[in-house]
Amino acid sequence: MLLLADKVVFLTGGTEGIGFECAKVYQQAGASLCIISNDPGSISYAKSRLGSGIVEFVLADVANSDQVKNAIEQCLDVFGKIDVIHNNAGISSPSKALHDTTQLEWEMLFAVNVSGIYYTTLHGIDALKKSGGNILNTGSLVGEIGQEIHAAYTATKGAVNSLTKSMALDYAPFGIRVNAVAPAGVITPLLRSWSQQQPDPESAAEYLANIHALGYCPEGDVIADACLFLISDMARFVTGCILPVSGGAELGYKKMYSKQKQVYDL
């Protein structure tokens, strides 16, 4: 039996990286998808790769309330309902200490990573109340453990964790579950860009393998499988959970960090 048969998933940032891996897994599990991206090029790429499944693409910026509202309405016009909102869109730059972060960089990080969740909830909660659906937020391990030279980013992911728990309490009376997935390092275009911002980019790959207790940095499909569980009925009694899919990175992070003697982030 397909885990997401007859389900409609509204997925932000679903055309590359973890989001695209989620789109593939959700489609294989039987879901209809409404995928939101602000990048026309990545939308074209995703269209060519997702094949013949039921997929609607919307060009929209999650940091813009009106565009999110229009995207929700378009999804409802096409599919008639929304069962899952997966807030995956996010940015990580800049890789800087707080005092080196510009006001524009700070505001952009919060606009995408935090306000994006606010806007999808603001405009999509009524649809979820009707469907008895659920919300999944893509967080990060660093929202729990912190991260050097990435203060603004970790602040947004800490906010995602707190939002997830508060939203879970607020929407439980409606039967709406709210959870988050918290990866550590994952090989994506975003991570490759991150690696180039580090003090020693050539050592980044070795570092990313070593921080995970399981000994390697995974591809996005590892995270997508965990996301599928959280949005499916298999997790029907799970809410307010920040699920680490981290290969045990948090268990040896401080020890490994001191051995590296470099300044890196997850």
Side-chain angles (χ1 to χ4, degrees), residues 110-141:
F110 274 88
V112 175
N113 295 358
V114 184
S115 294
I117 296 174
Y118 167 59
Y119 295 142
T120 61
T121 305
L122 176 67
H123 301 301
I125 193 63
D126 287 342
L128 290 183
K129 288 179 180 179
K130 290 178 182 178
S131 66
N134 68 85
I135 298 171
L136 177 63
N137 300 322
T138 298
S140 171
L141 175 63

Side-chain angles (χ1 to χ4, degrees), residues 17-18 21 182-192 208 212 217-223 245 266:
I18 292 172
E21 295 300 324
V186 183
I187 298 173
T188 64
L190 193 66
L191 186 69
R192 293 186 181 97
L208 288 166
H212 298 88
C217 187
E219 301 281 346
D221 63 317
V222 170
I223 313 304
V245 188
L266 291 176

Side-chain angles (χ1 to χ4, degrees), residues 188-223:
T188 64
L190 193 66
L191 186 69
R192 293 186 181 97
S193 174
W194 166 89
S195 297
Q196 295 305 309
Q197 299 179 50
Q198 303 313 304
D200 185 3
E202 293 183 1
S203 299
E206 180 182 2
Y207 164 77
L208 288 166
N210 288 339
I211 63 171
H212 298 88
L214 293 179
Y216 67 96
C217 187
E219 301 281 346
D221 63 317
V222 170
I223 313 304

Side-chain angles (χ1 to χ4, degrees), residues 21-72:
E21 295 300 324
C22 287
K24 292 193 292 184
V25 167
Y26 296 167
Q27 185 184 57
Q28 292 165 5
S32 300
L33 301 173
C34 184
I35 299 178
I36 314 306
S37 173
N38 67 346
D39 182 354
S42 69
I43 288 177
S44 296
Y45 172 80
K47 281 182 177 180
S48 69
R49 294 290 301 278
L50 287 176
S52 60
I54 303 174
V55 185
E56 180 78 5
F57 289 91
V58 182
L59 180 64
D61 183 352
V62 298
N64 184 298
S65 179
D66 289 340
Q67 291 185 26
V68 173
K69 181 175 184 291
N70 291 338
I72 291 283

